[in-house]
Amino acid sequence: MTTPRGFRDRADDSLLTLIGDIPELIRNLVIAEIDAAKAWLARTAKDGGWGALWVFAALFVLFWSVPVLGTFVIAGLSSWWPVWLSALVVFFAMLVVTAVLALLGILRFKKIGERQNPVQAIAQDIQEVRDEL
């Protein structure tokens, strides 16, 4: 007989049957923990890669847009303001863009630390088993 979730009802199994199933249950637990570790590593690597990409994008914008776009905007603003004031406005605008892109990268890196590490999950499982014994 199975339960609504698809698990076998083990209430009527004998003690020897339950003891005989322990190696299979432990094997299944180990495989599940290894699969969880692989999934955690994949998510962590993905977030690390995206975080590195955002930081690289921030550096790219800072390095290439300052001379090209900055010169254009400074020349345009110097029609109304003095050249030195135009240059300061463009410089601070580029700093704001760089800060936003770097913040996006840092937030992606913080996601890595928020996930439960597989080692922590195993330690929690062991602690729960010990508490039951």
Side-chain angles (χ1 to χ4, degrees):
M1 183 170 136
T2 60
T3 62
R5 290 180 50 195
F7 296 110
R8 196 175 91 201
D9 185 12
R10 304 185 73 123
D12 296 331
D13 289 349
S14 69
L15 177 63
L16 293 178
T17 303
L18 293 174
I19 290 174
D21 288 343
I22 288 177
E24 180 185 355
L25 293 173
I26 290 175
R27 179 185 158 283
N28 292 342
L29 176 64
V30 169
I31 289 173
E33 290 294 343
I34 290 172
D35 289 342
K38 287 179 185 178
W40 177 82
L41 184 62
R43 286 190 313 266
T44 302
K46 179 182 174 185
D47 284 339
W50 278 107
L53 181 69
W54 284 117
V55 170
F56 178 75
L59 293 175
F60 181 83
V61 168
L62 180 66
F63 186 76
W64 288 108
S65 69
V66 170
V68 177
L69 183 61
T71 303
F72 174 75
V73 174
I74 289 170
L77 289 177
S78 65
S79 301
W80 296 286
W81 296 336
V83 176
W84 63 269
L85 182 60
S86 302
L88 279 177
V89 168
V90 169
F91 175 73
F92 285 115
M94 290 298 173
L95 281 181
V96 168
V97 169
T98 302
V100 167
L101 291 174
L103 182 64
L104 287 172
I106 289 170
L107 290 176
R108 183 61 77 152
F109 280 126
K110 282 188 175 184
K111 271 188 156 183
I112 293 172
E114 293 174 359
R115 288 201 185 102
Q116 186 179 21
N117 182 322
V119 175
Q120 293 169 340
I122 291 171
Q124 182 180 0
D125 290 344
I126 290 172
Q127 185 62 37
E128 289 177 9
V129 169
R130 285 185 182 167
D131 290 342
E132 290 297 321
L133 296 178

